[in-house]
Structures are given as structure tokens and as C-alpha cells.
Amino acid sequence: MAADEYPPVNPYVAGLLGRCPRCGKGHLFRGFLALAPSCEVCGLDLAFADSGDGPAVFVMTIAGFIVVGAALYVEVAYAPPYWVHGLIFLPLTVIVCAGLLRPAKSLLIALQYFNKAEEGQRADEG
């Protein structure tokens, strides 16, 4: 099948589920964050996919709001000792960041495919 013969796939759904941005069925990852070389269903070469540091920036921002907001609430409401904050919020930080990183990465890759994003080129380089 050619690329335009596949039914349209919602990039947000495919991205958040970690599916192939072209067919919506194949898996995007072969490990926790390692991309598969190609889709096992439609054969899309995933070499184009480069999300860079974007997912980490988004995840750190979102996790920061969640964890800092919860820590401030706990501090004001209960005023526990600092070791309790460490015991609660260090694992919470790891869980929130690890839980959001994979969907964020696959969403950015799906949007990159959907919008046909590629590296910029200078006009005089042809």
C-alpha cells in the first residue's frame, strides 16, 4: 500500500497510544523509550522520527506543576517534617515523569509525521 492508501489516523490518538502514525496499528516503541526501526504492520521507516528534548521539557513542566502543587498543599495543610516530603514526593516525581514521558514522545512523533515536519534547509542549498 502507498502512504496515501491508508485511512486517515488521528495523530493525537495514535500518539497517546504509542501507535504508528501512518496506519495506527503498529507499535512505535520496541522498548520503554527506544523507537522501533519500522512499523511491523505497514512498514513505515521510523528513521524520520526525532522528538529531541521536546517531550522531556513538556513532562518536566507538567510534572513540576503537579508535584510542587501537591507538596505545597501538603506543607500548608499538614506541615510534616522534610523527610516526609522526600518520602512522598521523590517517588511521585519519578512516577509522574516516567508515566508521561512515553506518551509525550509518541505524540510529538505522530504530530511530526502528520505535519510532515522536517529539518529546515537554506534556500541557496537547493
Side-chain angles (χ1 to χ4, degrees):
M1 277 184 149
D4 47 332
E5 293 179 17
Y6 289 94
V9 174
N10 185 333
Y12 298 102
V13 173
L16 291 175
L17 294 176
R19 301 291 183 190
C20 172
R22 180 164 68 182
C23 69
K25 294 184 170 83
H27 294 89
L28 197 59
F29 297 101
R30 71 164 183 235
F32 181 66
L33 288 176
L35 287 177
S38 63
C39 174
E40 71 265 10
V41 176
C42 69
L44 174 66
D45 183 19
L46 296 172
F48 75 89
D50 182 21
S51 60
D53 292 333
V57 171
F58 288 125
V59 167
M60 286 188 300
T61 302
I62 294 167
F65 279 114
I66 293 170
V67 174
V68 170
L72 285 173
Y73 174 76
V74 168
E75 178 62 32
V76 170
Y78 303 107
Y82 291 126
W83 65 268
V84 173
H85 280 287
L87 190 67
I88 295 172
F89 295 109
L90 286 176
L92 180 64
T93 303
V94 172
I95 291 168
V96 170
C97 288
L100 291 176
L101 194 54
R102 187 175 165 140
K105 183 173 182 171
S106 60
L107 177 62
L108 287 179
I109 290 171
L111 289 172
Q112 182 181 8
Y113 177 81
F114 180 75
N115 292 307
K116 297 173 181 52
E118 57 185 28
E119 188 174 338
Q121 296 180 359
R122 293 175 35 167
D124 61 349
E125 291 182 2

